[in-house]
Amino acid sequence: MAMYNAHRGMVPTPPNTRLTELLDSVRQEFEAASGRSNDYEHQINNQMTEMEMIRGKLHQLEQHQIAIKKQYDDEVARLHRELTEARGNPPHPSHHGAMSHNSMPSQGPPPTIAQNPNGSIFGGLIAGNQPGTNLAPPEQHQQQQNPHPMQQQPPAPPNQNQQPPPSQHYNSYPPQNGYAHPPPPPPSASPGPAKRPNRGPPGPSTPLQNAPVSYPEQPRQSPRMTRPTPPPPQNGVMNVGNSLSELDPQSLPDNKKRMGDDWFAVFNPRIERKLDIELLHDFHHESVVCCVRFSADGTMIATGCNRTAQIYDVETGAKKYHLEDTAAEKDGDLYIRSVCFSPDGRLLATGAEDKLIRIWDIYENKIRQIFSGHEQDIYSLDFASNGRHLASGSGDRSVRLWDLEKGHPVLNLQIEDGVTTVAISPGGKYVAAGSLDKSVRVWDVETGDVVERLEGHEGHQDSVYSVAFSPFGRELVSGSLDKTIKLWDLSQSRRSGHGPGPQSRTGRCIRTFEGHRVSLKILLQSSSSLIIIPKDFVLSVALTPDGRWVMSGSKDRGVQFWNPQDGTAQLMLQGHKNSGESPSGG
């Protein structure tokens, strides 16, 4: 009993405080989280306020841009009226009037590059064997004399084993690669690769260049000067030299122009008209057309667009094939920047922004091979005449020569800057490339040595965007952002004391063609903005299969035909709303 009483008399133990501590900790965490939530809410409100301010500023900038655009259109119209009055002609509608807001170019990537020798169809396209009702007849004395040389039957191609004769005039060149249209091959399974190469990060949309020098925000006001009196026109037409895009079609006589619904051509009023041209087909596409190429026999034409390549029948205008790699990545755009037919017309090579070269079996509509290895966009492709080798140029500063039978490159040529264009000589012995470093290089495909480097005081002063060999390979044509086309003689090269190798030489520039020189500079009176629109970069060059004419496509949206004998421009064709980046002689 005593023990029990002692037990009852013990002091009770204090209550457990663990639960209280946990509750205090939860309360503190809740208060801290509530404080952070208030901070986040405050930051979100501030950001929303800033976004509203940005939206308002963007709206103001948009309205300001619309006003500047309207001022620009008005200024263009005023300058055009003053130019018309200075010429002594009454004002009238013209193709060179102010561009409306909706007509301004809005296409994105301007691919570069493409040129190709083609077949006999070119004679029909240029000579105009079936002129339309709106064809203006050439001058009378011309019709009564010998027929146009482009309408005569071209001579047969030389024996392949026969050595080419010494350098002659261009009018002695026969057509090259006159392949007959092959019959479709028997159906067979496509040996395409089972595993696609991994697609790395995309390269630049165009080869990188140095950023242009910006103009000061507040340029000095131009001093007021009296306008020089223009030279008197000959036969009512201004003398513009080779800058045929400056001619007003409305002021030309009927035998010096061709007018279509949405295209026109003007002929040099200073020289005898030797060509005629008409619109044969109008191929509509759903996206930007980055490249165009004729087949060797001139019966087909291929175009490269976003994800797809199309092949059309030149005679009928019908679409024959639609090529699309359904296994390619679906995210974003995938522009095909170069296309090229094999000499027999059975294969089409395409180079795209995913850095892959696809070799298509046209008649089976299947990919036969895929070549990977380039690290940036592929801007140019060209098949050798043997149909086995393919040259490719990329912004990764390399030129590669691929062997279709071996399935891998047999030559990898590295240079100092991005490659914009490649071309293989007619005999397949040399490959030429133009680059952003203003130089044109020519390599021997067997040794990989540079045998020509066309640059210096005779060379281009800006990036070279297109090269093309003449039919016999003794001459090379190049086009550049310096607004010129140059014709080089490769048969009588001079040795130079410098260069990448002992065999490196510098070819002789035979002639420089200048005429793509239309640029627009406008100082808006109501603002401190100087608008400069360059419209004269030469983006592509090509030769007709007989070598009698040089063609060039430019940023001025015109395609000009040049006589390589005297350097005069024969005609200028304009029918595009954006740059003519890929003329192809066919």
Side-chain angles (χ1 to χ4, degrees), residues 34-77:
S34 177
R36 289 194 298 268
S37 175
N38 294 333
D39 294 340
Y40 292 152
E41 184 176 359
H42 180 69
Q43 293 177 6
I44 291 174
N45 291 332
N46 291 338
Q47 292 178 357
M48 292 182 63
T49 303
E50 292 178 358
M51 290 179 62
E52 291 296 329
M53 294 174 60
I54 293 174
R55 289 180 59 186
K57 291 181 179 179
L58 286 176
H59 180 71
Q60 295 177 1
L61 290 174
E62 182 180 6
Q63 297 299 320
H64 183 62
Q65 189 272 340
I66 294 175
I68 293 178
K69 180 65 176 60
K70 184 177 182 302
Q71 295 172 357
Y72 159 74
D73 292 338
D74 296 340
E75 191 72 10
V76 171

mmCIF file of all heavy atoms in Angstrom, residues 34-77:
data_model
loop_
_atom_site.group_PDB
_atom_site.id
_atom_site.type_symbol
_atom_site.label_atom_id
_atom_site.label_comp_id
_atom_site.label_asym_id
_atom_site.label_seq_id
_atom_site.Cartn_x
_atom_site.Cartn_y
_atom_site.Cartn_z
ATOM 1 N N SER A 34 3.715 31.878 -49.039
ATOM 2 C CA SER A 34 2.735 32.915 -49.341
ATOM 3 C C SER A 34 3.430 34.216 -49.734
ATOM 4 O O SER A 34 3.011 34.913 -50.660
ATOM 5 C CB SER A 34 1.839 33.132 -48.118
ATOM 6 O OG SER A 34 0.908 34.176 -48.355
ATOM 7 N N GLY A 35 4.549 34.512 -49.037
ATOM 8 C CA GLY A 35 5.304 35.713 -49.402
ATOM 9 C C GLY A 35 5.894 35.616 -50.798
ATOM 10 O O GLY A 35 5.868 36.572 -51.574
ATOM 11 N N ARG A 36 6.464 34.440 -51.131
ATOM 12 C CA ARG A 36 7.019 34.266 -52.469
ATOM 13 C C ARG A 36 5.924 34.357 -53.521
ATOM 14 O O ARG A 36 6.127 34.911 -54.605
ATOM 15 C CB ARG A 36 7.738 32.920 -52.557
ATOM 16 C CG ARG A 36 9.039 32.872 -51.778
ATOM 17 C CD ARG A 36 9.873 31.660 -52.182
ATOM 18 N NE ARG A 36 9.173 30.415 -51.890
ATOM 19 C CZ ARG A 36 9.300 29.734 -50.760
ATOM 20 N NH1 ARG A 36 10.090 30.198 -49.790
ATOM 21 N NH2 ARG A 36 8.647 28.606 -50.565
ATOM 22 N N SER A 37 4.760 33.818 -53.205
ATOM 23 C CA SER A 37 3.639 33.897 -54.153
ATOM 24 C C SER A 37 3.258 35.341 -54.420
ATOM 25 O O SER A 37 2.980 35.722 -55.572
ATOM 26 C CB SER A 37 2.450 33.106 -53.608
ATOM 27 O OG SER A 37 1.327 33.253 -54.451
ATOM 28 N N ASN A 38 3.254 36.148 -53.353
ATOM 29 C CA ASN A 38 2.950 37.557 -53.566
ATOM 30 C C ASN A 38 4.007 38.229 -54.435
ATOM 31 O O ASN A 38 3.698 39.058 -55.299
ATOM 32 C CB ASN A 38 2.837 38.266 -52.217
ATOM 33 C CG ASN A 38 1.641 37.773 -51.406
ATOM 34 O OD1 ASN A 38 0.645 37.318 -51.983
ATOM 35 N ND2 ASN A 38 1.735 37.835 -50.080
ATOM 36 N N ASP A 39 5.286 37.835 -54.206
ATOM 37 C CA ASP A 39 6.353 38.406 -55.034
ATOM 38 C C ASP A 39 6.187 38.008 -56.494
ATOM 39 O O ASP A 39 6.326 38.836 -57.407
ATOM 40 C CB ASP A 39 7.716 37.952 -54.513
ATOM 41 C CG ASP A 39 8.025 38.515 -53.131
ATOM 42 O OD1 ASP A 39 7.394 39.528 -52.764
ATOM 43 O OD2 ASP A 39 8.884 37.930 -52.433
ATOM 44 N N TYR A 40 5.887 36.721 -56.740
ATOM 45 C CA TYR A 40 5.695 36.256 -58.109
ATOM 46 C C TYR A 40 4.530 36.971 -58.770
ATOM 47 O O TYR A 40 4.592 37.356 -59.946
ATOM 48 C CB TYR A 40 5.456 34.750 -58.132
ATOM 49 C CG TYR A 40 6.669 33.934 -57.745
ATOM 50 C CD1 TYR A 40 6.518 32.675 -57.160
ATOM 51 C CD2 TYR A 40 7.950 34.429 -57.938
ATOM 52 C CE1 TYR A 40 7.621 31.925 -56.807
ATOM 53 C CE2 TYR A 40 9.066 33.694 -57.571
ATOM 54 C CZ TYR A 40 8.897 32.437 -57.004
ATOM 55 O OH TYR A 40 9.979 31.706 -56.656
ATOM 56 N N GLU A 41 3.453 37.120 -58.013
ATOM 57 C CA GLU A 41 2.277 37.795 -58.570
ATOM 58 C C GLU A 41 2.608 39.239 -58.923
ATOM 59 O O GLU A 41 2.187 39.747 -59.973
ATOM 60 C CB GLU A 41 1.130 37.732 -57.562
ATOM 61 C CG GLU A 41 -0.166 38.329 -58.109
ATOM 62 C CD GLU A 41 -1.306 38.168 -57.114
ATOM 63 O OE1 GLU A 41 -1.076 37.576 -56.030
ATOM 64 O OE2 GLU A 41 -2.409 38.637 -57.425
ATOM 65 N N HIS A 42 3.401 39.874 -58.084
ATOM 66 C CA HIS A 42 3.801 41.246 -58.361
ATOM 67 C C HIS A 42 4.677 41.310 -59.608
ATOM 68 O O HIS A 42 4.504 42.193 -60.472
ATOM 69 C CB HIS A 42 4.541 41.813 -57.148
ATOM 70 C CG HIS A 42 4.997 43.229 -57.326
ATOM 71 N ND1 HIS A 42 4.117 44.299 -57.380
ATOM 72 C CD2 HIS A 42 6.245 43.756 -57.470
ATOM 73 C CE1 HIS A 42 4.794 45.413 -57.552
ATOM 74 N NE2 HIS A 42 6.097 45.110 -57.616
ATOM 75 N N GLN A 43 5.620 40.351 -59.740
ATOM 76 C CA GLN A 43 6.476 40.329 -60.918
ATOM 77 C C GLN A 43 5.662 40.065 -62.198
ATOM 78 O O GLN A 43 5.904 40.664 -63.250
ATOM 79 C CB GLN A 43 7.557 39.258 -60.756
ATOM 80 C CG GLN A 43 8.554 39.557 -59.650
ATOM 81 C CD GLN A 43 9.557 38.430 -59.484
ATOM 82 O OE1 GLN A 43 9.570 37.480 -60.269
ATOM 83 N NE2 GLN A 43 10.400 38.537 -58.452
ATOM 84 N N ILE A 44 4.702 39.149 -62.099
ATOM 85 C CA ILE A 44 3.860 38.854 -63.275
ATOM 86 C C ILE A 44 3.068 40.086 -63.687
ATOM 87 O O ILE A 44 2.936 40.404 -64.880
ATOM 88 C CB ILE A 44 2.927 37.663 -62.963
ATOM 89 C CG1 ILE A 44 3.744 36.375 -62.836
ATOM 90 C CG2 ILE A 44 1.861 37.527 -64.048
ATOM 91 C CD1 ILE A 44 2.915 35.181 -62.399
ATOM 92 N N ASN A 45 2.542 40.792 -62.708
ATOM 93 C CA ASN A 45 1.797 42.008 -63.040
ATOM 94 C C ASN A 45 2.697 43.034 -63.723
ATOM 95 O O ASN A 45 2.302 43.685 -64.704
ATOM 96 C CB ASN A 45 1.176 42.599 -61.768
ATOM 97 C CG ASN A 45 0.061 41.727 -61.200
ATOM 98 O OD1 ASN A 45 -0.598 40.999 -61.963
ATOM 99 N ND2 ASN A 45 -0.157 41.787 -59.902
ATOM 100 N N ASN A 46 3.938 43.166 -63.215
ATOM 101 C CA ASN A 46 4.869 44.099 -63.848
ATOM 102 C C ASN A 46 5.195 43.677 -65.282
ATOM 103 O O ASN A 46 5.255 44.504 -66.198
ATOM 104 C CB ASN A 46 6.152 44.192 -63.026
ATOM 105 C CG ASN A 46 5.941 44.874 -61.692
ATOM 106 O OD1 ASN A 46 4.972 45.628 -61.523
ATOM 107 N ND2 ASN A 46 6.828 44.621 -60.742
ATOM 108 N N GLN A 47 5.412 42.362 -65.473
ATOM 109 C CA GLN A 47 5.718 41.879 -66.818
ATOM 110 C C GLN A 47 4.545 42.075 -67.772
ATOM 111 O O GLN A 47 4.725 42.404 -68.944
ATOM 112 C CB GLN A 47 6.128 40.409 -66.763
ATOM 113 C CG GLN A 47 7.463 40.179 -66.069
ATOM 114 C CD GLN A 47 7.820 38.713 -65.974
ATOM 115 O OE1 GLN A 47 7.043 37.851 -66.389
ATOM 116 N NE2 GLN A 47 8.994 38.428 -65.415
ATOM 117 N N MET A 48 3.338 41.841 -67.267
ATOM 118 C CA MET A 48 2.161 42.068 -68.106
ATOM 119 C C MET A 48 2.048 43.540 -68.487
ATOM 120 O O MET A 48 1.694 43.881 -69.620
ATOM 121 C CB MET A 48 0.904 41.587 -67.383
ATOM 122 C CG MET A 48 0.829 40.075 -67.206
ATOM 123 S SD MET A 48 -0.691 39.540 -66.390
ATOM 124 C CE MET A 48 -1.917 40.071 -67.586
ATOM 125 N N THR A 49 2.367 44.391 -67.538
ATOM 126 C CA THR A 49 2.337 45.823 -67.849
ATOM 127 C C THR A 49 3.379 46.165 -68.913
ATOM 128 O O THR A 49 3.114 46.922 -69.856
ATOM 129 C CB THR A 49 2.588 46.634 -66.569
ATOM 130 O OG1 THR A 49 1.612 46.286 -65.587
ATOM 131 C CG2 THR A 49 2.510 48.124 -66.860
ATOM 132 N N GLU A 50 4.574 45.588 -68.764
ATOM 133 C CA GLU A 50 5.614 45.840 -69.768
ATOM 134 C C GLU A 50 5.203 45.298 -71.137
ATOM 135 O O GLU A 50 5.472 45.919 -72.170
ATOM 136 C CB GLU A 50 6.924 45.193 -69.314
ATOM 137 C CG GLU A 50 7.528 45.854 -68.085
ATOM 138 C CD GLU A 50 8.798 45.147 -67.637
ATOM 139 O OE1 GLU A 50 9.165 44.131 -68.279
ATOM 140 O OE2 GLU A 50 9.412 45.597 -66.663
ATOM 141 N N MET A 51 4.568 44.118 -71.144
ATOM 142 C CA MET A 51 4.117 43.556 -72.422
ATOM 143 C C MET A 51 3.092 44.459 -73.093
ATOM 144 O O MET A 51 3.099 44.644 -74.320
ATOM 145 C CB MET A 51 3.543 42.157 -72.206
ATOM 146 C CG MET A 51 4.588 41.102 -71.837
ATOM 147 S SD MET A 51 3.862 39.470 -71.567
ATOM 148 C CE MET A 51 3.179 39.146 -73.176
ATOM 149 N N GLU A 52 2.197 45.012 -72.299
ATOM 150 C CA GLU A 52 1.218 45.937 -72.872
ATOM 151 C C GLU A 52 1.908 47.166 -73.449
ATOM 152 O O GLU A 52 1.541 47.669 -74.519
ATOM 153 C CB GLU A 52 0.195 46.333 -71.803
ATOM 154 C CG GLU A 52 -0.734 45.213 -71.376
ATOM 155 C CD GLU A 52 -1.615 44.730 -72.519
ATOM 156 O OE1 GLU A 52 -1.951 45.565 -73.408
ATOM 157 O OE2 GLU A 52 -1.968 43.548 -72.531
ATOM 158 N N MET A 53 2.954 47.644 -72.749
ATOM 159 C CA MET A 53 3.695 48.790 -73.266
ATOM 160 C C MET A 53 4.407 48.422 -74.580
ATOM 161 O O MET A 53 4.412 49.204 -75.536
ATOM 162 C CB MET A 53 4.706 49.271 -72.226
ATOM 163 C CG MET A 53 4.085 49.838 -70.960
ATOM 164 S SD MET A 53 5.328 50.234 -69.706
ATOM 165 C CE MET A 53 6.296 51.438 -70.593
ATOM 166 N N ILE A 54 4.984 47.223 -74.597
ATOM 167 C CA ILE A 54 5.671 46.789 -75.824
ATOM 168 C C ILE A 54 4.688 46.660 -76.974
ATOM 169 O O ILE A 54 4.975 47.057 -78.114
ATOM 170 C CB ILE A 54 6.403 45.459 -75.561
ATOM 171 C CG1 ILE A 54 7.551 45.677 -74.581
ATOM 172 C CG2 ILE A 54 6.912 44.847 -76.870
ATOM 173 C CD1 ILE A 54 8.241 44.399 -74.152
ATOM 174 N N ARG A 55 3.517 46.091 -76.693
ATOM 175 C CA ARG A 55 2.494 45.976 -77.739
ATOM 176 C C ARG A 55 2.099 47.350 -78.276
ATOM 177 O O ARG A 55 1.932 47.550 -79.474
ATOM 178 C CB ARG A 55 1.273 45.249 -77.191
ATOM 179 C CG ARG A 55 1.487 43.770 -76.942
ATOM 180 C CD ARG A 55 0.245 43.109 -76.394
ATOM 181 N NE ARG A 55 -0.879 43.266 -77.304
ATOM 182 C CZ ARG A 55 -2.116 42.883 -77.033
ATOM 183 N NH1 ARG A 55 -2.397 42.330 -75.856
ATOM 184 N NH2 ARG A 55 -3.083 43.042 -77.910
ATOM 185 N N GLY A 56 1.985 48.289 -77.364
ATOM 186 C CA GLY A 56 1.651 49.633 -77.816
ATOM 187 C C GLY A 56 2.741 50.249 -78.671
ATOM 188 O O GLY A 56 2.474 50.867 -79.706
ATOM 189 N N LYS A 57 4.004 50.029 -78.250
ATOM 190 C CA LYS A 57 5.109 50.559 -79.053
ATOM 191 C C LYS A 57 5.200 49.881 -80.410
ATOM 192 O O LYS A 57 5.486 50.524 -81.419
ATOM 193 C CB LYS A 57 6.412 50.389 -78.283
ATOM 194 C CG LYS A 57 6.518 51.266 -77.051
ATOM 195 C CD LYS A 57 7.857 51.074 -76.347
ATOM 196 C CE LYS A 57 7.962 51.975 -75.119
ATOM 197 N NZ LYS A 57 9.245 51.798 -74.394
ATOM 198 N N LEU A 58 4.957 48.569 -80.441
ATOM 199 C CA LEU A 58 4.968 47.857 -81.718
ATOM 200 C C LEU A 58 3.887 48.391 -82.646
ATOM 201 O O LEU A 58 4.089 48.540 -83.854
ATOM 202 C CB LEU A 58 4.778 46.357 -81.492
ATOM 203 C CG LEU A 58 5.974 45.602 -80.914
ATOM 204 C CD1 LEU A 58 5.606 44.140 -80.652
ATOM 205 C CD2 LEU A 58 7.163 45.663 -81.858
ATOM 206 N N HIS A 59 2.726 48.667 -82.075
ATOM 207 C CA HIS A 59 1.656 49.232 -82.893
ATOM 208 C C HIS A 59 2.062 50.593 -83.453
ATOM 209 O O HIS A 59 1.819 50.894 -84.627
ATOM 210 C CB HIS A 59 0.385 49.339 -82.059
ATOM 211 C CG HIS A 59 -0.780 49.917 -82.819
ATOM 212 N ND1 HIS A 59 -1.443 49.228 -83.818
ATOM 213 C CD2 HIS A 59 -1.376 51.143 -82.738
ATOM 214 C CE1 HIS A 59 -2.405 49.988 -84.313
ATOM 215 N NE2 HIS A 59 -2.389 51.152 -83.680
ATOM 216 N N GLN A 60 2.699 51.397 -82.591
ATOM 217 C CA GLN A 60 3.159 52.698 -83.072
ATOM 218 C C GLN A 60 4.216 52.547 -84.168
ATOM 219 O O GLN A 60 4.191 53.262 -85.178
ATOM 220 C CB GLN A 60 3.716 53.507 -81.900
ATOM 221 C CG GLN A 60 2.681 53.878 -80.849
ATOM 222 C CD GLN A 60 3.288 54.606 -79.676
ATOM 223 O OE1 GLN A 60 4.494 54.866 -79.638
ATOM 224 N NE2 GLN A 60 2.458 54.943 -78.678
ATOM 225 N N LEU A 61 5.148 51.605 -83.974
ATOM 226 C CA LEU A 61 6.175 51.377 -84.990
ATOM 227 C C LEU A 61 5.560 50.895 -86.303
ATOM 228 O O LEU A 61 5.999 51.280 -87.386
ATOM 229 C CB LEU A 61 7.195 50.358 -84.481
ATOM 230 C CG LEU A 61 8.116 50.824 -83.361
ATOM 231 C CD1 LEU A 61 8.974 49.670 -82.860
ATOM 232 C CD2 LEU A 61 9.008 51.965 -83.844
ATOM 233 N N GLU A 62 4.548 50.034 -86.194
ATOM 234 C CA GLU A 62 3.882 49.554 -87.404
ATOM 235 C C GLU A 62 3.211 50.701 -88.152
ATOM 236 O O GLU A 62 3.313 50.809 -89.383
ATOM 237 C CB GLU A 62 2.859 48.481 -87.037
ATOM 238 C CG GLU A 62 2.144 47.884 -88.243
ATOM 239 C CD GLU A 62 1.141 46.820 -87.840
ATOM 240 O OE1 GLU A 62 0.928 46.642 -86.614
ATOM 241 O OE2 GLU A 62 0.573 46.185 -88.733
ATOM 242 N N GLN A 63 2.544 51.555 -87.424
ATOM 243 C CA GLN A 63 1.912 52.696 -88.069
ATOM 244 C C GLN A 63 2.954 53.618 -88.683
ATOM 245 O O GLN A 63 2.782 54.148 -89.789
ATOM 246 C CB GLN A 63 1.048 53.458 -87.049
ATOM 247 C CG GLN A 63 -0.101 52.647 -86.483
ATOM 248 C CD GLN A 63 -1.074 52.205 -87.565
ATOM 249 O OE1 GLN A 63 -1.393 52.972 -88.482
ATOM 250 N NE2 GLN A 63 -1.549 50.966 -87.462
ATOM 251 N N HIS A 64 4.081 53.781 -87.968
ATOM 252 C CA HIS A 64 5.150 54.623 -88.504
ATOM 253 C C HIS A 64 5.750 54.010 -89.770
ATOM 254 O O HIS A 64 6.050 54.714 -90.739
ATOM 255 C CB HIS A 64 6.225 54.803 -87.436
ATOM 256 C CG HIS A 64 7.346 55.714 -87.861
ATOM 257 N ND1 HIS A 64 7.159 57.043 -88.183
ATOM 258 C CD2 HIS A 64 8.676 55.474 -88.022
ATOM 259 C CE1 HIS A 64 8.319 57.584 -88.524
ATOM 260 N NE2 HIS A 64 9.253 56.654 -88.458
ATOM 261 N N GLN A 65 5.916 52.693 -89.746
ATOM 262 C CA GLN A 65 6.454 52.021 -90.931
ATOM 263 C C GLN A 65 5.518 52.157 -92.117
ATOM 264 O O GLN A 65 5.948 52.364 -93.255
ATOM 265 C CB GLN A 65 6.701 50.547 -90.600
ATOM 266 C CG GLN A 65 7.451 49.777 -91.675
ATOM 267 C CD GLN A 65 6.556 49.164 -92.728
ATOM 268 O OE1 GLN A 65 5.364 48.998 -92.484
ATOM 269 N NE2 GLN A 65 7.107 48.849 -93.873
ATOM 270 N N ILE A 66 4.225 52.044 -91.879
ATOM 271 C CA ILE A 66 3.256 52.211 -92.966
ATOM 272 C C ILE A 66 3.343 53.623 -93.537
ATOM 273 O O ILE A 66 3.300 53.829 -94.753
ATOM 274 C CB ILE A 66 1.837 51.892 -92.452
ATOM 275 C CG1 ILE A 66 1.723 50.395 -92.087
ATOM 276 C CG2 ILE A 66 0.790 52.272 -93.494
ATOM 277 C CD1 ILE A 66 0.395 50.026 -91.461
ATOM 278 N N ALA A 67 3.502 54.600 -92.646
ATOM 279 C CA ALA A 67 3.609 55.982 -93.124
ATOM 280 C C ALA A 67 4.884 56.181 -93.944
ATOM 281 O O ALA A 67 4.865 56.823 -95.008
ATOM 282 C CB ALA A 67 3.580 56.941 -91.924
ATOM 283 N N ILE A 68 6.004 55.616 -93.460
ATOM 284 C CA ILE A 68 7.259 55.722 -94.220
ATOM 285 C C ILE A 68 7.119 55.023 -95.568
ATOM 286 O O ILE A 68 7.583 55.523 -96.589
ATOM 287 C CB ILE A 68 8.414 55.128 -93.403
ATOM 288 C CG1 ILE A 68 8.683 55.992 -92.179
ATOM 289 C CG2 ILE A 68 9.675 54.996 -94.254
ATOM 290 C CD1 ILE A 68 9.783 55.454 -91.289
ATOM 291 N N LYS A 69 6.456 53.881 -95.574
ATOM 292 C CA LYS A 69 6.263 53.146 -96.829
ATOM 293 C C LYS A 69 5.451 53.971 -97.819
ATOM 294 O O LYS A 69 5.753 54.019 -99.024
ATOM 295 C CB LYS A 69 5.558 51.818 -96.543
ATOM 296 C CG LYS A 69 5.296 50.979 -97.775
ATOM 297 C CD LYS A 69 6.613 50.543 -98.385
ATOM 298 C CE LYS A 69 6.347 49.618 -99.557
ATOM 299 N NZ LYS A 69 5.556 50.238 -100.616
ATOM 300 N N LYS A 70 4.414 54.627 -97.326
ATOM 301 C CA LYS A 70 3.607 55.457 -98.199
ATOM 302 C C LYS A 70 4.426 56.620 -98.748
ATOM 303 O O LYS A 70 4.346 56.973 -99.933
ATOM 304 C CB LYS A 70 2.383 55.981 -97.451
ATOM 305 C CG LYS A 70 1.413 56.795 -98.317
ATOM 306 C CD LYS A 70 0.195 57.222 -97.531
ATOM 307 C CE LYS A 70 -0.779 57.994 -98.439
ATOM 308 N NZ LYS A 70 -0.181 59.171 -99.048
ATOM 309 N N GLN A 71 5.255 57.229 -97.875
ATOM 310 C CA GLN A 71 6.134 58.300 -98.351
ATOM 311 C C GLN A 71 7.122 57.790 -99.401
ATOM 312 O O GLN A 71 7.398 58.471 -100.390
ATOM 313 C CB GLN A 71 6.894 58.895 -97.166
ATOM 314 C CG GLN A 71 5.994 59.597 -96.151
ATOM 315 C CD GLN A 71 6.756 60.006 -94.917
ATOM 316 O OE1 GLN A 71 7.945 59.725 -94.774
ATOM 317 N NE2 GLN A 71 6.080 60.680 -93.977
ATOM 318 N N TYR A 72 7.617 56.603 -99.169
ATOM 319 C CA TYR A 72 8.547 56.003 -100.138
ATOM 320 C C TYR A 72 7.863 55.795 -101.487
ATOM 321 O O TYR A 72 8.408 56.112 -102.543
ATOM 322 C CB TYR A 72 9.064 54.685 -99.568
ATOM 323 C CG TYR A 72 9.599 53.725 -100.590
ATOM 324 C CD1 TYR A 72 10.821 53.944 -101.207
ATOM 325 C CD2 TYR A 72 8.882 52.580 -100.930
ATOM 326 C CE1 TYR A 72 11.310 53.063 -102.147
ATOM 327 C CE2 TYR A 72 9.370 51.696 -101.862
ATOM 328 C CZ TYR A 72 10.578 51.935 -102.470
ATOM 329 O OH TYR A 72 11.064 51.065 -103.398
ATOM 330 N N ASP A 73 6.628 55.243 -101.482
ATOM 331 C CA ASP A 73 5.904 55.043 -102.740
ATOM 332 C C ASP A 73 5.659 56.375 -103.444
ATOM 333 O O ASP A 73 5.824 56.478 -104.669
ATOM 334 C CB ASP A 73 4.578 54.335 -102.469
ATOM 335 C CG ASP A 73 4.774 52.903 -102.006
ATOM 336 O OD1 ASP A 73 5.852 52.347 -102.295
ATOM 337 O OD2 ASP A 73 3.868 52.343 -101.358
ATOM 338 N N ASP A 74 5.253 57.391 -102.669
ATOM 339 C CA ASP A 74 5.019 58.699 -103.272
ATOM 340 C C ASP A 74 6.308 59.266 -103.868
ATOM 341 O O ASP A 74 6.293 59.873 -104.950
ATOM 342 C CB ASP A 74 4.445 59.666 -102.227
ATOM 343 C CG ASP A 74 3.077 59.221 -101.735
ATOM 344 O OD1 ASP A 74 2.425 58.419 -102.448
ATOM 345 O OD2 ASP A 74 2.661 59.675 -100.659
ATOM 346 N N GLU A 75 7.441 59.063 -103.163
ATOM 347 C CA GLU A 75 8.714 59.580 -103.653
ATOM 348 C C GLU A 75 9.133 58.878 -104.939
ATOM 349 O O GLU A 75 9.639 59.505 -105.872
ATOM 350 C CB GLU A 75 9.783 59.407 -102.574
ATOM 351 C CG GLU A 75 11.079 60.134 -102.855
ATOM 352 C CD GLU A 75 10.965 61.637 -102.694
ATOM 353 O OE1 GLU A 75 9.918 62.103 -102.169
ATOM 354 O OE2 GLU A 75 11.898 62.339 -103.089
ATOM 355 N N VAL A 76 8.918 57.562 -104.995
ATOM 356 C CA VAL A 76 9.241 56.820 -106.213
ATOM 357 C C VAL A 76 8.403 57.322 -107.385
ATOM 358 O O VAL A 76 8.900 57.520 -108.497
ATOM 359 C CB VAL A 76 9.030 55.311 -105.989
ATOM 360 C CG1 VAL A 76 9.148 54.544 -107.301
ATOM 361 C CG2 VAL A 76 10.046 54.769 -105.000
ATOM 362 N N ALA A 77 7.114 57.510 -107.140
ATOM 363 C CA ALA A 77 6.259 58.009 -108.204
ATOM 364 C C ALA A 77 6.694 59.395 -108.677
ATOM 365 O O ALA A 77 6.699 59.694 -109.875
ATOM 366 C CB ALA A 77 4.796 58.039 -107.721
#
